Amino acid sequence: MHFFQKKIQLRAYPRGFHIITDSVRAALPEIKTIKIGQLQVFINHTSASLTINENADHSVRSDFESHFNVMVPENEPHYEHTYEGSDDMPAHIKSSLLGASVQIPITNGQLNLGIWQGIYLCEHRDHARGRHLVITAFGV
């Protein structure tokens, strides 16, 4: 069994849903040495998240952003945690709804994603800095 791990910093992305699959692949080329295994991608932040979804049509990503903004609106009077702005508490809620990690099978040195699947960075803050990811691959 082989284990590979790397911590990377993504560039700063604007608020929204962004495909980062190529950045993840490029950061850990050792994936190519694994015949059967798993890749875990973990984000070290509480106001951004990760998910896997449609990688071809940009409107899916803008629809995600629109839906989450309706589902978890800003400026709600019941929010107490507003020290970092009106997008702060909604960002934490959105992050918890989507999650901090994704797992993807590795098959014959490739991420075994479906043809229309990509890894999303879900940026929930208006003015975020580059996000940190821990990428771990393991297998035989």
Side-chain angles (χ1 to χ4, degrees):
M1 177 92 60
H2 301 282
F3 289 85
F4 305 101
Q5 188 175 77
K6 191 174 286 182
K7 186 170 187 174
I8 66 167
Q9 181 172 356
L10 298 173
R11 67 174 177 83
Y13 282 88
R15 184 169 168 164
F17 291 72
H18 308 279
I19 295 176
I20 60 166
T21 313
D22 290 342
S23 297
V24 169
R25 279 191 188 112
L28 204 62
E30 294 88 348
I31 291 168
K32 294 175 184 172
T33 68
I34 297 173
K35 184 174 180 180
I36 299 172
Q38 290 284 314
L39 177 77
Q40 182 193 45
V41 185
F42 177 82
I43 190 164
N44 290 114
H45 301 276
T46 61
S47 57
S49 54
L50 299 171
T51 194
I52 295 173
N53 216 292
E54 164 81 45
N55 70 354
D57 186 346
H58 184 270
S59 67
V60 172
R61 288 175 273 151
S62 60
D63 286 347
F64 259 99
E65 178 67 14
S66 297
H67 179 79
F68 270 82
N69 289 334
V70 170
M71 193 169 78
V72 186
E74 295 180 14
N75 298 308
E76 289 297 307
H78 56 271
Y79 293 153
E80 292 181 34
H81 181 77
T82 58
Y83 310 114
E84 295 180 52
S86 62
D87 64 341
D88 190 25
M89 191 60 219
H92 294 310
I93 294 169
K94 293 171 185 178
S95 176
S96 287
L97 289 170
L98 287 165
S101 66
V102 293
Q103 262 192 247
I104 303 160
I106 299 171
T107 306
N108 295 321
Q110 300 291 322
L111 298 183
N112 199 340
L113 289 164
I115 191 166
W116 303 113
Q117 290 181 317
I119 305 168
Y120 284 16
L121 166 68
C122 313
E123 180 54 70
H124 306 303
R125 297 299 306 269
D126 289 329
H127 304 289
R129 295 185 177 149
R131 301 299 191 164
H132 292 96
L133 303 177
V134 178
I135 304 168
T136 307
F138 56 92
V140 293

